[in-house]
Amino acid sequence: MRRWSLARQMLALQIVVVVATVAAGTVMAILQTRDLVTEDATAVTRAVAVSVASAPSVLAALDDPDPTAALEPYAEKVRAETGVNFITIMTTAGIRYTHPTRAEIGKPYLGTIAPALAGRTYSETYTGTLGPSTRTITPVRDPSGRIRALVSAGITVENIGGRLREQLEAGVLAGLLGLAAGTAGTYLAGRRLRRHTHDLGTQELTRMYEYHEAILHAVREGLLLVDGRGVLTLCNDGARELLGLPEHAEGLFVESLGLPPSLTELLSSGGNRTDEIHLTGDRVLLVSVSAVRSGSRSLGTVVTLRDHTELQDVTGQLDAERGFADALRSAAHESANRLHTVISLVELGRPDEAVTFATEELRAAQELTDRVVAAVREPVLAALLLGKSAQAAERGVELSITPESELDDIGLDPHDLVAILANLIDNAVEAAMSGAPPARVEVHVGTSGSACEIRVSDSGPGLDPARVEEAYQRGWTTKGDGRGLGLPLAAQAVRRLGGTIDVSAGQGAVFTVRLPLPERTPS
């Protein structure tokens, strides 16, 4: 048998609470109303008794030979006007002068008269000839203060009960209306809760929560949930680590998380994206965004993050190897062209010119190789520069090394150095090709104090100072086609090594990188 859902349990509990509350309120109202009606009856009888005892006509009638003849009509008139059930005027011995039932006149009064004989006005509930009643008895005094008679005014319990029933009917009706309203409200709240909990029971909800927590903390990939207002509503451990988010990130707007602008824009867009590359301070992330809906209701977007940094490093190394291969291909192509030229000159019977041409080409190539090898004794960087020189020449760009360049093995990670220098040179070649001829790129590598300095300048159109910050963001290139990743990767490698990268204006743009040298341990 299926257990009751959480919504049904809450509905049943709320109905029980409402019924118990209304019932308790009704009982308290009944008790309070009874007390109030009794107090009201006591106040009425007290006022009537004191008023009659104070009347001069009552004191005057006591001196008549037949006090009943004068007092009975007066007592009945006052009783009818005030709504009390009886007004009894009696002697100090308790013998009645008046009574609603004439047969009781002259008989002893049934009730307590001692407090009145002592001079006090006294109220009590007592069973007399008319049944149980709430009554008040008070003395009648002459001008000298002597007690001449007693007056009792009373309202029967049956009369009080009639008033009480009228009050209770209204109270019970109000209670029933409250119960109906409370039950209806509880039902509506239960329907809403059932809709939000999908009519699941407590065990199912507990199980789902446990699975939810286990999955969020177990997966390595980052997972974010952003609602329609752009507020981060969920963030797992992987996302905190990949994005460097604080513990209290949930509940904050995406714009206030301190993420790179391109990533902030993506998270706020609400659209669907698949495997976009974005850069943070020291990571390359693969980001996918999917809009989430429940029926016709939009729940926001789910964002998944995968760390692409290691793969990007491997890709960078592969690009470097591909660059070396392209450089060899370019060199082989150039050598083939030169060899073909030499052979053609020989076939044309011009051997002297063939020797001169071959010697000149060999000298130029050797000079470049000697200059690079002499200046850069880090073999990976030297090979990179030679390869980039061949690639640039093939694209019509002259790449040169400054005469003062000199760089030994400085202990920095060569992969990061290759990423920095290769991306800066590629960007400079692209910029130089878009500028006025001749297209030139100049590279300087060396050390200055305790820092390694890399400077790459080009003959391109230059860089607008207002767009310097954009240059290090994903999607920016000097070509302006929005597909660039080289400069951001170079800037990321610079930050990883604890250095700085600046850009200034020369003939074109001049990028200067300064990297702190690691301290060498004395041998």
Side-chain angles (χ1 to χ4, degrees):
M1 180 178 177
R2 188 175 182 271
R3 296 177 179 270
W4 276 19
S5 67
L6 176 62
R8 293 180 184 274
Q9 294 181 39
M10 292 296 295
L11 177 61
L13 177 60
Q14 289 176 346
I15 289 177
V16 170
V17 171
V18 169
V19 170
T21 302
V22 172
T26 303
V27 171
M28 292 180 62
I30 290 173
L31 296 176
Q32 187 175 17
T33 301
R34 186 189 65 182
D35 293 341
L36 290 174
V37 171
T38 301
E39 291 176 3
D40 182 61
T42 301
V44 170
T45 59
R46 188 181 187 90
V48 171
V50 171
S51 177
V52 171
S54 302
S57 58
V58 172
L59 187 61
L62 294 177
D63 294 330
D64 291 345
D66 186 10
T68 298
L71 296 176
E72 178 67 15
Y74 173 73
E76 286 301 304
K77 178 183 177 182
V78 174
R79 184 181 68 81
E81 291 176 350
T82 59
V84 298
N85 291 106
F86 67 88
I87 295 176
T88 299
I89 303 173
M90 69 196 82
T91 66
T92 54
I95 303 301
R96 302 186 184 101
Y97 288 130
T98 65
H99 195 276
T101 304
R102 295 191 63 84
E104 298 296 329
I105 296 175
K107 293 181 179 181
Y109 169 77
L110 301 179
T112 304
I113 62 173
L117 292 174
R120 294 190 296 113
T121 299
Y122 175 72
S123 299
E124 66 175 348
T125 299
Y126 197 88
T127 302
T129 58
L130 300 179
S133 63
T134 295
R135 58 185 66 184
T136 298
I137 184 169
T138 189
V140 178
R141 298 175 184 271
D142 61 13
S144 65
R146 184 167 62 92
I147 296 176
R148 295 286 306 282
L150 304 175
V151 176
S152 175
I155 299 176
T156 62
V157 173
E158 182 180 358
N159 193 355
I160 295 174
R163 297 182 186 179
L164 181 59
R165 280 192 297 274
E166 294 177 359
Q167 298 289 332
L168 291 182
E169 289 174 359
V172 170
L173 179 60
L176 291 176
L177 291 176
L179 178 60
T183 302
T186 299
Y187 174 73
L188 293 176
R191 284 189 60 186
R192 183 177 179 85
L193 181 61
R194 188 159 53 250
R195 185 168 65 250
H196 284 293
T197 60
H198 300 284
D199 208 23
L200 295 174
T202 53
Q203 290 187 345
E204 289 93 339
L205 289 174
T206 300
R207 191 179 304 114
M208 288 182 62
Y209 175 78
E210 291 173 347
Y211 290 165
H212 169 273
E213 287 295 302
I215 292 172
L216 284 183
H217 293 290
V219 295
R220 293 182 58 190
E221 288 76 11
L223 181 63
L224 304 174
L225 181 60
V226 182
D227 67 12
R229 298 176 300 139
V231 175
L232 181 64
T233 58
L234 184 143
C235 173
N236 73 339
D237 295 344
R240 291 184 197 279
E241 180 180 356
L242 292 176
L243 298 177
L245 298 178
E247 288 295 328
H248 59 280
E250 286 89 352
L252 299 179
F253 283 93
V254 171
E255 291 81 0
S256 62
L257 295 177
L259 301 177
S262 62
L263 191 54
T264 299
E265 180 183 357
L266 177 65
L267 298 184
S268 305
S269 65
N272 293 319
R273 308 286 182 85
T274 302
D275 291 344
E276 282 195 2
I277 293 180
H278 288 263
L279 279 74
T280 62
D282 56 354
R283 294 181 185 273
V284 179
L285 302 179
L286 211 57
V287 185
S288 297
V289 181
S290 300
V292 181
R293 305 187 69 85
S294 177
S296 60
R297 186 164 58 98
S298 174
L299 301 180
T301 55
V302 172
V303 183
T304 56
L305 310 168
R306 284 179 288 165
D307 193 355
H308 202 57
T309 307
E310 294 181 0
L311 181 59
Q312 189 65 42
D313 289 342
V314 174
T315 304
Q317 296 177 30
L318 181 59
D319 288 342
E321 298 296 334
R322 186 182 295 115
F324 295 150
D326 288 343
L328 291 175
R329 179 193 57 77
S330 299
H333 181 71
E334 289 296 319
S335 297
N337 288 337
R338 296 187 188 103
L339 181 59
H340 182 72
T341 301
V342 170
I343 292 174
S344 297
L345 289 172
V346 171
E347 290 177 346
L348 292 173
R350 304 170 73 174
D352 294 337
E353 294 182 18
V355 172
T356 302
F357 175 80
T359 304
E360 183 63 27
E361 289 296 323
L362 180 61
R363 183 186 61 79
Q366 189 62 44
E367 282 182 358
L368 175 62
T369 302
D370 292 343
R371 189 183 316 124
V372 170
V373 172
V376 181
R377 284 176 285 279
E378 166 59 56
V380 176
L381 289 184
L384 174 68
L385 289 171
L386 288 174
K388 291 298 180 183
S389 297
Q391 288 179 333
E394 191 176 34
R395 302 177 68 180
V397 179
E398 178 187 353
L399 190 149
S400 61
I401 310 298
T402 61
E404 61 271 18
S405 292
E406 184 175 0
L407 187 66
D408 293 324
D409 183 3
I410 54 178
L412 292 174
D413 187 348
H415 296 108
D416 285 331
L417 290 176
V418 166
I420 296 170
L421 188 56
N423 283 302
L424 290 180
I425 292 176
D426 289 342
N427 179 75
V429 169
E430 294 285 350
M433 291 175 62
S434 63
R440 294 190 303 273
V441 173
E442 185 177 69
V443 178
H444 169 78
V445 291
T447 56
S448 176
S450 60
C452 169
E453 184 176 278
I454 299 173
R455 185 172 65 252
V456 179
S457 59
D458 60 70
S459 60
L463 181 63
D464 185 353
R467 303 190 65 190
V468 170
E469 289 300 322
E470 296 180 38
Y472 306 127
Q473 298 177 12
R474 187 197 70 87
W476 189 95
T477 69
T478 52
K479 295 170 64 178
D481 59 8
R483 294 181 287 119
L485 193 60
L487 285 178
L489 287 174
Q492 188 182 76
V494 170
R495 287 192 297 269
R496 191 159 51 238
L497 294 176
T500 61
I501 180 169
D502 300 310
V503 60
S504 58
Q507 180 180 352
V510 180
F511 287 86
T512 303
V513 174
R514 292 181 178 85
L515 304 173
L517 296 176
E519 295 184 2
R520 295 184 178 275
T521 304
S523 55

Short mmCIF file of all heavy atoms in Angstrom, two decimals, residues 164-205:
data_model
loop_
_atom_site.label_atom_id
_atom_site.label_comp_id
_atom_site.label_asym_id
_atom_site.label_seq_id
_atom_site.Cartn_x
_atom_site.Cartn_y
_atom_site.Cartn_z
N LEU A 164 -27.69 32.86 27.50
CA LEU A 164 -26.46 32.16 27.16
C LEU A 164 -26.61 31.39 25.86
O LEU A 164 -25.69 31.36 25.03
CB LEU A 164 -26.06 31.21 28.30
CG LEU A 164 -24.77 30.40 28.13
CD1 LEU A 164 -23.59 31.33 27.95
CD2 LEU A 164 -24.55 29.47 29.31
N ARG A 165 -27.78 30.77 25.67
CA ARG A 165 -28.00 30.02 24.44
C ARG A 165 -27.96 30.94 23.22
O ARG A 165 -27.44 30.56 22.17
CB ARG A 165 -29.34 29.29 24.51
CG ARG A 165 -29.29 27.99 25.31
CD ARG A 165 -30.55 27.18 25.12
NE ARG A 165 -31.73 27.88 25.62
CZ ARG A 165 -32.14 27.84 26.88
NH1 ARG A 165 -31.46 27.14 27.76
NH2 ARG A 165 -33.22 28.50 27.24
N GLU A 166 -28.50 32.12 23.35
CA GLU A 166 -28.43 33.07 22.23
C GLU A 166 -26.98 33.41 21.88
O GLU A 166 -26.60 33.46 20.71
CB GLU A 166 -29.20 34.34 22.59
CG GLU A 166 -30.69 34.13 22.75
CD GLU A 166 -31.38 35.41 23.18
OE1 GLU A 166 -30.67 36.43 23.37
OE2 GLU A 166 -32.62 35.41 23.34
N GLN A 167 -26.18 33.64 22.93
CA GLN A 167 -24.77 33.95 22.69
C GLN A 167 -24.03 32.75 22.11
O GLN A 167 -23.19 32.89 21.21
CB GLN A 167 -24.10 34.39 24.00
CG GLN A 167 -24.69 35.65 24.61
CD GLN A 167 -24.35 36.87 23.79
OE1 GLN A 167 -23.32 36.93 23.12
NE2 GLN A 167 -25.24 37.86 23.81
N LEU A 168 -24.38 31.56 22.64
CA LEU A 168 -23.67 30.36 22.18
C LEU A 168 -24.01 30.04 20.73
O LEU A 168 -23.15 29.56 19.99
CB LEU A 168 -24.00 29.17 23.08
CG LEU A 168 -23.44 29.23 24.50
CD1 LEU A 168 -23.81 27.98 25.27
CD2 LEU A 168 -21.94 29.41 24.47
N GLU A 169 -25.25 30.27 20.35
CA GLU A 169 -25.62 30.01 18.95
C GLU A 169 -24.77 30.86 18.01
O GLU A 169 -24.28 30.37 16.98
CB GLU A 169 -27.10 30.30 18.75
CG GLU A 169 -28.02 29.27 19.41
CD GLU A 169 -29.48 29.66 19.30
OE1 GLU A 169 -29.75 30.74 18.73
OE2 GLU A 169 -30.33 28.90 19.78
N ALA A 170 -24.62 32.13 18.37
CA ALA A 170 -23.78 33.00 17.54
C ALA A 170 -22.33 32.53 17.57
O ALA A 170 -21.62 32.52 16.55
CB ALA A 170 -23.87 34.45 18.02
N GLY A 171 -21.86 32.11 18.78
CA GLY A 171 -20.48 31.65 18.89
C GLY A 171 -20.23 30.37 18.11
O GLY A 171 -19.20 30.23 17.44
N VAL A 172 -21.17 29.43 18.20
CA VAL A 172 -21.01 28.17 17.47
C VAL A 172 -21.03 28.42 15.96
O VAL A 172 -20.26 27.83 15.20
CB VAL A 172 -22.10 27.18 17.88
CG1 VAL A 172 -22.09 25.96 16.95
CG2 VAL A 172 -21.89 26.73 19.32
N LEU A 173 -21.94 29.32 15.52
CA LEU A 173 -21.98 29.65 14.10
C LEU A 173 -20.66 30.25 13.63
O LEU A 173 -20.13 29.89 12.58
CB LEU A 173 -23.13 30.64 13.84
CG LEU A 173 -23.28 31.10 12.38
CD1 LEU A 173 -23.55 29.90 11.48
CD2 LEU A 173 -24.40 32.13 12.26
N ALA A 174 -20.11 31.17 14.46
CA ALA A 174 -18.80 31.75 14.09
C ALA A 174 -17.73 30.67 14.06
O ALA A 174 -16.85 30.67 13.19
CB ALA A 174 -18.44 32.84 15.08
N GLY A 175 -17.78 29.72 15.02
CA GLY A 175 -16.81 28.64 15.04
C GLY A 175 -16.90 27.75 13.82
O GLY A 175 -15.89 27.35 13.23
N LEU A 176 -18.16 27.44 13.41
CA LEU A 176 -18.34 26.61 12.22
C LEU A 176 -17.83 27.33 10.97
O LEU A 176 -17.22 26.71 10.09
CB LEU A 176 -19.82 26.25 12.07
CG LEU A 176 -20.37 25.28 13.13
CD1 LEU A 176 -21.87 25.08 12.93
CD2 LEU A 176 -19.64 23.94 13.09
N LEU A 177 -18.12 28.63 10.90
CA LEU A 177 -17.61 29.40 9.75
C LEU A 177 -16.08 29.41 9.74
O LEU A 177 -15.45 29.27 8.70
CB LEU A 177 -18.16 30.83 9.79
CG LEU A 177 -19.66 30.98 9.53
CD1 LEU A 177 -20.09 32.43 9.70
CD2 LEU A 177 -20.02 30.49 8.12
N GLY A 178 -15.50 29.59 10.95
CA GLY A 178 -14.04 29.55 11.04
C GLY A 178 -13.48 28.20 10.65
O GLY A 178 -12.45 28.11 9.97
N LEU A 179 -14.18 27.12 11.08
CA LEU A 179 -13.73 25.78 10.73
C LEU A 179 -13.80 25.56 9.22
O LEU A 179 -12.89 25.00 8.61
CB LEU A 179 -14.59 24.74 11.45
CG LEU A 179 -14.28 23.26 11.15
CD1 LEU A 179 -12.85 22.94 11.53
CD2 LEU A 179 -15.26 22.35 11.87
N ALA A 180 -14.92 26.04 8.61
CA ALA A 180 -15.06 25.88 7.16
C ALA A 180 -13.98 26.67 6.42
O ALA A 180 -13.36 26.16 5.48
CB ALA A 180 -16.45 26.35 6.72
N ALA A 181 -13.74 27.92 6.86
CA ALA A 181 -12.71 28.73 6.21
C ALA A 181 -11.33 28.12 6.40
O ALA A 181 -10.52 28.07 5.47
CB ALA A 181 -12.75 30.15 6.76
N GLY A 182 -11.05 27.66 7.63
CA GLY A 182 -9.74 27.04 7.90
C GLY A 182 -9.53 25.78 7.10
O GLY A 182 -8.45 25.52 6.56
N THR A 183 -10.58 24.95 6.99
CA THR A 183 -10.47 23.71 6.22
C THR A 183 -10.26 24.01 4.74
O THR A 183 -9.44 23.37 4.07
CB THR A 183 -11.74 22.86 6.40
OG1 THR A 183 -11.93 22.59 7.81
CG2 THR A 183 -11.62 21.55 5.65
N ALA A 184 -11.01 25.01 4.24
CA ALA A 184 -10.84 25.38 2.83
C ALA A 184 -9.42 25.90 2.57
O ALA A 184 -8.77 25.54 1.58
CB ALA A 184 -11.87 26.43 2.43
N GLY A 185 -8.94 26.77 3.47
CA GLY A 185 -7.59 27.28 3.31
C GLY A 185 -6.55 26.18 3.39
O GLY A 185 -5.57 26.15 2.63
N THR A 186 -6.76 25.23 4.31
CA THR A 186 -5.85 24.10 4.45
C THR A 186 -5.85 23.24 3.19
O THR A 186 -4.80 22.77 2.73
CB THR A 186 -6.24 23.26 5.67
OG1 THR A 186 -6.17 24.07 6.85
CG2 THR A 186 -5.33 22.07 5.82
N TYR A 187 -7.04 23.05 2.62
CA TYR A 187 -7.14 22.25 1.40
C TYR A 187 -6.39 22.92 0.24
O TYR A 187 -5.66 22.27 -0.50
CB TYR A 187 -8.61 22.05 1.04
CG TYR A 187 -8.81 21.36 -0.30
CD1 TYR A 187 -8.56 20.01 -0.44
CD2 TYR A 187 -9.25 22.08 -1.40
CE1 TYR A 187 -8.72 19.38 -1.67
CE2 TYR A 187 -9.42 21.46 -2.63
CZ TYR A 187 -9.15 20.11 -2.76
OH TYR A 187 -9.33 19.51 -3.98
N LEU A 188 -6.59 24.24 0.11
CA LEU A 188 -5.91 24.96 -0.96
C LEU A 188 -4.39 24.92 -0.76
O LEU A 188 -3.62 24.75 -1.71
CB LEU A 188 -6.40 26.40 -1.02
CG LEU A 188 -7.87 26.58 -1.44
CD1 LEU A 188 -8.27 28.04 -1.36
CD2 LEU A 188 -8.09 26.04 -2.84
N ALA A 189 -3.96 25.11 0.51
CA ALA A 189 -2.52 25.03 0.79
C ALA A 189 -1.99 23.64 0.51
O ALA A 189 -0.87 23.48 -0.01
CB ALA A 189 -2.25 25.41 2.25
N GLY A 190 -2.81 22.61 0.82
CA GLY A 190 -2.40 21.24 0.52
C GLY A 190 -2.26 20.99 -0.97
O GLY A 190 -1.34 20.30 -1.41
N ARG A 191 -3.19 21.55 -1.75
CA ARG A 191 -3.09 21.39 -3.21
C ARG A 191 -1.82 22.04 -3.75
O ARG A 191 -1.13 21.47 -4.61
CB ARG A 191 -4.31 22.02 -3.89
CG ARG A 191 -5.58 21.21 -3.79
CD ARG A 191 -6.66 21.79 -4.67
NE ARG A 191 -6.25 21.81 -6.07
CZ ARG A 191 -6.95 22.37 -7.03
NH1 ARG A 191 -8.09 23.00 -6.74
NH2 ARG A 191 -6.52 22.35 -8.28
N ARG A 192 -1.53 23.21 -3.23
CA ARG A 192 -0.31 23.89 -3.68
C ARG A 192 0.94 23.10 -3.28
O ARG A 192 1.87 22.94 -4.08
CB ARG A 192 -0.24 25.30 -3.07
CG ARG A 192 0.97 26.11 -3.53
CD ARG A 192 0.92 27.51 -2.95
NE ARG A 192 2.06 28.29 -3.35
CZ ARG A 192 2.16 28.97 -4.48
NH1 ARG A 192 1.14 28.96 -5.33
NH2 ARG A 192 3.23 29.67 -4.78
N LEU A 193 0.94 22.60 -2.05
CA LEU A 193 2.08 21.79 -1.60
C LEU A 193 2.19 20.52 -2.42
O LEU A 193 3.31 20.09 -2.77
CB LEU A 193 1.92 21.47 -0.12
CG LEU A 193 3.04 20.64 0.53
CD1 LEU A 193 4.36 21.39 0.45
CD2 LEU A 193 2.69 20.31 1.97
N ARG A 194 1.05 19.91 -2.75
CA ARG A 194 1.08 18.68 -3.55
C ARG A 194 1.64 18.95 -4.94
O ARG A 194 2.37 18.14 -5.50
CB ARG A 194 -0.34 18.11 -3.63
CG ARG A 194 -0.40 16.74 -4.27
CD ARG A 194 -1.69 15.99 -3.91
NE ARG A 194 -2.88 16.76 -4.18
CZ ARG A 194 -3.69 17.27 -3.27
NH1 ARG A 194 -3.40 17.10 -1.98
NH2 ARG A 194 -4.77 17.95 -3.59
N ARG A 195 1.30 20.13 -5.50
CA ARG A 195 1.82 20.48 -6.82
C ARG A 195 3.33 20.68 -6.77
O ARG A 195 4.05 20.28 -7.68
CB ARG A 195 1.13 21.75 -7.32
CG ARG A 195 1.52 22.12 -8.75
CD ARG A 195 0.62 23.18 -9.32
NE ARG A 195 0.75 24.45 -8.62
CZ ARG A 195 -0.17 24.98 -7.83
NH1 ARG A 195 -1.31 24.33 -7.62
NH2 ARG A 195 0.01 26.14 -7.24
N HIS A 196 3.81 21.30 -5.70
CA HIS A 196 5.25 21.57 -5.60
C HIS A 196 6.05 20.31 -5.26
O HIS A 196 7.21 20.20 -5.64
CB HIS A 196 5.51 22.65 -4.55
CG HIS A 196 5.19 24.04 -5.00
ND1 HIS A 196 5.90 24.68 -5.98
CD2 HIS A 196 4.21 24.91 -4.63
CE1 HIS A 196 5.39 25.89 -6.19
NE2 HIS A 196 4.36 26.04 -5.38
N THR A 197 5.46 19.39 -4.52
CA THR A 197 6.17 18.16 -4.14
C THR A 197 5.86 17.00 -5.07
O THR A 197 6.35 15.90 -4.85
CB THR A 197 5.81 17.76 -2.70
OG1 THR A 197 4.39 17.53 -2.61
CG2 THR A 197 6.20 18.84 -1.72
N HIS A 198 5.04 17.27 -6.12
CA HIS A 198 4.67 16.23 -7.10
C HIS A 198 4.04 15.02 -6.41
O HIS A 198 4.23 13.88 -6.84
CB HIS A 198 5.89 15.80 -7.91
CG HIS A 198 6.51 16.93 -8.68
ND1 HIS A 198 5.97 17.45 -9.84
CD2 HIS A 198 7.62 17.70 -8.42
CE1 HIS A 198 6.72 18.44 -10.29
NE2 HIS A 198 7.72 18.63 -9.44
N ASP A 199 3.31 15.28 -5.33
CA ASP A 199 2.57 14.25 -4.60
C ASP A 199 3.48 13.13 -4.09
O ASP A 199 3.08 11.97 -4.02
CB ASP A 199 1.47 13.67 -5.49
CG ASP A 199 0.29 13.16 -4.66
OD1 ASP A 199 0.13 13.64 -3.52
OD2 ASP A 199 -0.46 12.29 -5.14
N LEU A 200 4.72 13.50 -3.76
CA LEU A 200 5.66 12.51 -3.23
C LEU A 200 5.55 12.42 -1.72
O LEU A 200 5.24 13.40 -1.04
CB LEU A 200 7.09 12.89 -3.62
CG LEU A 200 7.42 12.86 -5.12
CD1 LEU A 200 8.83 13.39 -5.35
CD2 LEU A 200 7.28 11.46 -5.68
N GLY A 201 5.84 11.23 -1.21
CA GLY A 201 5.84 11.03 0.23
C GLY A 201 7.14 11.47 0.87
O GLY A 201 8.11 11.81 0.18
N THR A 202 7.16 11.43 2.19
CA THR A 202 8.36 11.89 2.91
C THR A 202 9.58 11.02 2.60
O THR A 202 10.69 11.52 2.47
CB THR A 202 8.09 11.89 4.42
OG1 THR A 202 7.61 10.60 4.82
CG2 THR A 202 7.04 12.94 4.78
N GLN A 203 9.36 9.70 2.48
CA GLN A 203 10.50 8.83 2.18
C GLN A 203 11.06 9.09 0.79
O GLN A 203 12.29 9.12 0.60
CB GLN A 203 10.07 7.36 2.31
CG GLN A 203 9.80 6.92 3.74
CD GLN A 203 9.55 5.44 3.83
OE1 GLN A 203 9.32 4.76 2.84
NE2 GLN A 203 9.58 4.91 5.05
N GLU A 204 10.14 9.29 -0.18
CA GLU A 204 10.61 9.59 -1.53
C GLU A 204 11.37 10.92 -1.57
O GLU A 204 12.42 11.03 -2.20
CB GLU A 204 9.44 9.64 -2.51
CG GLU A 204 8.81 8.29 -2.80
CD GLU A 204 7.65 8.02 -1.87
OE1 GLU A 204 7.59 8.66 -0.80
OE2 GLU A 204 6.81 7.17 -2.21
N LEU A 205 10.84 11.93 -0.86
CA LEU A 205 11.52 13.22 -0.82
C LEU A 205 12.88 13.11 -0.14
O LEU A 205 13.86 13.70 -0.58
CB LEU A 205 10.65 14.25 -0.11
CG LEU A 205 9.40 14.71 -0.86
CD1 LEU A 205 8.55 15.61 0.03
CD2 LEU A 205 9.78 15.46 -2.13
#
